[in-house]
Amino acid sequence: MRLGILESLFNNPRQTLIFLLLALPGRLLAISLHEAAHGYVAERCGDPTARMMGRVTINPAKHLDPIGVIMMMLIGIGWAKPVPVNPRNFRNYRKDDLKVSLAGITANLLSFVAGCIVMYLFLGVTLALVKDVPAVALASTDDLPRNFTTVYQGMKVFMSESGRSYTYIPLNMLITNGITMGEAVIEPVLGSIPRYIYEMMYYFTLTSLSLAIFNLIPAPPLHRSPVLTDCSPPRPLFTP
């Protein structure tokens, strides 16, 4: 049985600590936004329970579940404490319960979109700062800049100096390669700090999308109320 982060910590402690420092802030923020959204919408629907218990906040300390954190450390999947909700305070039980259920998912989807926009802006600014070199100039490597864009083998690529040669990445792969762009593109042009910011945003974006997907599953502790059940037609209490 693999032990996830704990196993990595023993095998490669330095890399694992760097990963934790980059990944945990985004993951905690995504989880906190998810839970705070439940509490905020519940309050708007007439139930102040979450507000009174201090759960309408993005402070991770208010939302983390000890067992969920341990599971995240062991296998990479964890959960937060469910936001307390008293449906008796809702003005329209069925509609308001659905709103509260969808609130966390909606918050994570919006976070995912916002994160993608920031990441693409990072990549756009990076590419705008490098020189575009004509393909014919590649024959002479003496005057080439350390980082540039050009056409190579019929593709538009980003090239970066690596030792005595150059490595290249097709621009059409910038969107699909995610985390690798921090080291391969952002750092050579903007430096280490922008790279780390980019990678933190990547983990935040990925976690937001994962939470939105997994919280559609109507099974605890993945969601405070099963969305799929709320969307189903109402059924009588007794059937003949």
Side-chain angles (χ1 to χ4, degrees), residues 55 82 112 119 168 207:
R55 298 295 301 278
F112 169 74
M119 290 172 63
Y168 71 91
T207 302

Side-chain angles (χ1 to χ4, degrees), residues 107-119:
N108 287 138
L109 288 176
L110 292 175
S111 299
F112 169 74
V113 173
C116 286
I117 292 174
V118 173
M119 290 172 63

